[in-house]
Every structure is written in C-alpha cells, then in structure tokens.
Amino acid sequence: MRKIAVEKAQSIAPPSENDLLIEQAYEAMSGGTADTADGAEVKNTQSPTKWQKWKENFKKRGWILVFILPALIYVLIFCYGPMYGIVVAFQEYQPGNDIIGPDTVWVGFKNFEDFFSDPNFGNYFLNTFLLCILGFIVGFPLPIIVALLLNSVRPKKIKKGLQILYYAPHFISLVVLVGMLKLIFGSDGLLDQLSVKFGGDANGLQLFLKPEAFRPLFIFSGNWQDFGWSAIIYLAALSGVDPALHEAAKVDGASRFRRIFSVDLPAILPTIVMLMILSVGNLMSCGYEKVLLMQTGGNLSTSEILSTYVYGGLMSGQYGLSTASGLFNSVINVALLVIANFTSKKLANQSMW
C-alpha cells in the first residue's frame, strides 16, 4: 500500500525543471508554444523568414527609396522607354510611319543581311575594334597610375595643384579639343610650320591627312582629356586606406614603391575590377562626334567606324539599316560585359552581379 501511495504522490507532484525545458524545446521544434509552470506561454523561437526580414527593413529604411525614385524615373523614361525602337531594325521604316501598326512593313533580317554583306563591313568592324581596344589598353591603367602617384605626393598644395592641372582638360569641349589638335597637327599648323622651318617637307607633315596618324591622335588626345577625371574615383578609394597599414609596412622595411603594391593596390582592387567590367561593356562604343570632327578625306580608311556608319545611314534615310548596325554593336557590348563579369567572378571573386 505504501508503495502505491508513493507512486500516486509522484504522479501528482509538479514536473521538474528539466522536464519543463524538454517540453518547451519540443514545442519550439514543432512550431507551437509551450506552457510554463505558472501558466505563461513561451512564444515560437523560429528565426524570421527572408520575407519577414525584408518587410522589417522596408519599414525602417523604406524612406531612403524616395531618393532613388528620380534616377529610376529618368532611367525608365530615357533609357528603357526608347528601347521599343529596336524593332525598326526589322522594318522598312520611313519617317512618319507607325513603328508598330497596320501599315508597318516588316522585312525580317533583311537589314542585317544588307549590313553584313556591305563590302566595307569588315573594314568598319576592324577599325572600331582597333580604335577601342588600343584606347582601352592605354587609357584604363593610366588613371590608376596617376592616382597612385598623386596619393604619394605629401605636400598638400602641390597635390591639389596637380589635381586641378589634370582635371582641367576634362571640361574642354570636343569641338575645342579637335580645333586645338588641328592648330598643332593639322595642315599649316604649328608642327607643320616648324617642320618646314627646320628643312622638312615643304608641304609639312599633314598628319590629319595620313590614315596611320588618326588612331594615335584620337587615342592620346582622348586620354589626355579624361585621365585626370577618371583618377578621381581611384583617389577616393585610396583615401579610405588605413594609415596603420602603411605604418606597419614601414616598420617591416617596405619602401614607398613596395607599399604601393602591397597596401594601395589591394585596397583599390575591387574598384579597379568594377570599372574594368564597365569599360569592357562599352569597349565597342567609341562615339561618332569626335571621329566625325577628326575625319578627313585622307584618313577615311582608318576613321570610318561602326558609329559613323550608323550616322551616315541616318543622314541618308536608311533608318532600318542604321538601327540594325547599331543593334549589332550593342549586342557585342552586352556579350563582352557578360564575359568580363563571369571572368572577373571566377578569377578575382569580384563581379557586378
């Protein structure tokens, strides 16, 4: 009888603390709630889902999106809105026709066939590729080098003066820049007059009439105008380098040149990779304005590129053919962007997406 009474007492006694903890754990794992000894409920301790986290973040920081709206509206209206016009590449379009309507004349890939079958297509493509790839090889590392050198200058007045000197050409318009080039390298320009004065050819060098001189003049004048401006981004990235890293390198006996490769370059490597991907994405886009300004009858064999071909087609009323050639150029840029992003992600673990 006594044994039965003890067992009944144990069954009536409240559960121990360990039993309560075990019960709460089981309840939490099952997604419900657990009752404590005093009747209170223990809420579910599951971590919030991604959607719940996003909702909480939006409630706290959603107002920041207001500052993005103007840029988003601008991109939608002026960048994505006109993209429907690429359908002109598949039409026989004339001004005044409906781009998409009952009277639209669809020609399929005829404009592309005409473009690829043009006898000068290979020359236009090669000129565009050489002009852009040589400009990239010369122009991409130049701002990095300038930023590293400026960052090494200690006197602030000298550093500021050099920055202004390098930035200033960026604000010169293309028309003025080409005018300066013609005053120096054109017919009867400064260089021609000096050549004649010192016993050279009586007609002068006439570099603007020589096809082999077009690419060097175009590339180096463009880099002279923009290298200082492009260096601003790298200077901003270098300003975030911890001075303690340089101090530690000095203690280890590293020279200034060695610290550039061991401290500065690794710090701005993500910036370099991002700008390189963007530059590769625009590799085949040279623009037509400066090329047209520098173009002469003597250098057409090297100065006629895809963008000037598009411009010429628009001027002659061949809208479908011009749109097809422009679309071809854009597709190449997109392909290069994807390849550059994939390669960077695999090699440097840095990418845009």
Side-chain angles (χ1 to χ4, degrees), residues 62-77:
W63 60 271
I64 300 177
L65 297 176
V66 176
F67 297 97
I68 305 176
L69 282 178
L72 181 62
I73 294 171
Y74 174 85
V75 170
L76 290 176
I77 294 176

Side-chain angles (χ1 to χ4, degrees), residues 70-92:
L72 181 62
I73 294 171
Y74 174 85
V75 170
L76 290 176
I77 294 176
F78 296 102
C79 296
Y80 285 96
M83 285 182 67
Y84 77 96
I86 62 175
V87 298
V88 175
F90 307 95
Q91 301 174 1
E92 191 67 44

Side-chain angles (χ1 to χ4, degrees), residues 111-254:
N111 291 320
F112 291 93
E113 293 173 359
D114 294 341
F115 174 56
F116 294 137
S117 61
D118 191 310
N120 296 317
F121 167 73
N123 188 40
Y124 297 155
F125 184 83
L126 181 62
N127 288 341
T128 305
F129 178 77
L130 290 177
L131 194 64
C132 294
I133 196 67
L134 293 175
F136 175 78
I137 292 172
V138 175
F140 184 74
L142 188 59
I144 302 173
I145 296 171
V146 171
L148 292 172
L149 293 177
L150 283 175
N151 191 58
S152 301
V153 177
R154 292 306 174 201
K156 290 186 178 180
K157 291 185 178 180
I158 297 177
K159 185 177 181 179
K160 293 292 183 183
L162 290 174
Q163 287 179 3
I164 294 173
L165 183 65
Y166 293 155
Y167 300 164
H170 175 76
F171 301 98
I172 300 175
S173 69
L174 287 178
V175 177
V176 175
L177 176 64
V178 176
M180 293 168 58
L181 290 175
K182 290 184 176 180
L183 287 174
I184 299 173
F185 302 103
S187 301
D188 298 327
L190 177 62
L191 199 61
D192 280 13
Q193 293 180 14
L194 291 175
S195 176
V196 172
K197 186 174 182 179
F198 287 100
D201 190 347
N203 295 323
L205 297 176
Q206 296 185 347
L207 295 179
F208 265 77
L209 298 177
K210 295 181 178 181
E212 63 273 13
F214 172 78
R215 292 190 188 111
L217 287 175
F218 184 92
I219 291 170
F220 287 105
S221 61
N223 287 314
W224 171 77
Q225 186 179 24
D226 292 328
F227 79 93
W229 184 260
S230 301
I232 293 176
I233 300 176
Y234 299 109
L235 282 171
L238 286 169
S239 65
V241 178
D242 190 355
L245 296 176
H246 282 280
E247 296 299 328
K250 287 180 181 179
V251 173
D252 290 338

Side-chain angles (χ1 to χ4, degrees), residues 258-286:
R258 180 62 183 174
R259 280 184 279 132
I260 289 176
F261 286 93
S262 299
V263 178
D264 291 335
L265 273 178
I268 64 174
L269 183 60
T271 305
I272 294 174
V273 171
M274 287 296 152
L275 292 179
M276 184 191 69
I277 294 173
L278 293 174
S279 298
V280 172
N282 290 316
L283 192 61
M284 294 293 288
S285 300
C286 296

Side-chain angles (χ1 to χ4, degrees), residues 115 125 128 132 281 283-287 306-307 310 323-336:
F115 174 56
F125 184 83
T128 305
C132 294
L283 192 61
M284 294 293 288
S285 300
C286 296
L306 291 176
S307 58
V310 173
T323 306
S325 56
L327 180 59
F328 168 74
N329 199 8
S330 300
V331 169
I332 293 178
N333 282 331
V334 172
L336 290 174

